[in-house]
Amino acid sequence: MRTVVPLVAGLLLTLLIHIGVTFDSASVAGVVTTVLTGAYYTVFRLLETLAAKIHNRPLATVAGILLGWATPPDYPATAGAAVHSVT
């Protein structure tokens, strides 16, 4: 979800720009989509990180929803490799 939503947002932003701008090639449209998608993800990910640092849960939730999921994934800490001795 957190990958697809920014891609869709980038596509929609590109389509909005495309309404008023004529692109000469598909590669230009692809670059614009990539740049807008990256910018969208970066802005909302930084906003989500900032909100977590300042303990602003509503802001973190809004930023997370705009990224496609209300909270970033939480991965459990893995223990170090178990060492077994053979006796």
Side-chain angles (χ1 to χ4, degrees):
M1 278 302 256
R2 292 177 69 91
T3 302
V4 173
V5 170
L7 288 172
V8 171
L11 178 62
L12 291 175
L13 290 171
T14 301
L15 292 174
L16 289 175
I17 290 174
H18 188 64
I19 290 171
V21 178
T22 303
F23 291 110
D24 293 343
S25 69
S27 61
V28 173
V31 169
V32 170
T33 299
T34 302
V35 169
L36 288 174
T37 300
Y40 179 94
Y41 179 80
T42 300
V43 165
F44 287 107
R45 184 66 180 114
L46 289 173
L47 188 62
E48 183 181 49
T49 302
L50 174 67
K53 286 183 180 180
I54 63 173
H55 304 292
N56 188 328
R57 188 71 193 141
L59 180 60
T61 300
V62 168
I65 288 170
L66 290 172
L67 287 171
W69 201 256
T71 59
D74 185 22
Y75 301 105
T78 57
V83 177
H84 299 283
S85 61
V86 178
T87 54

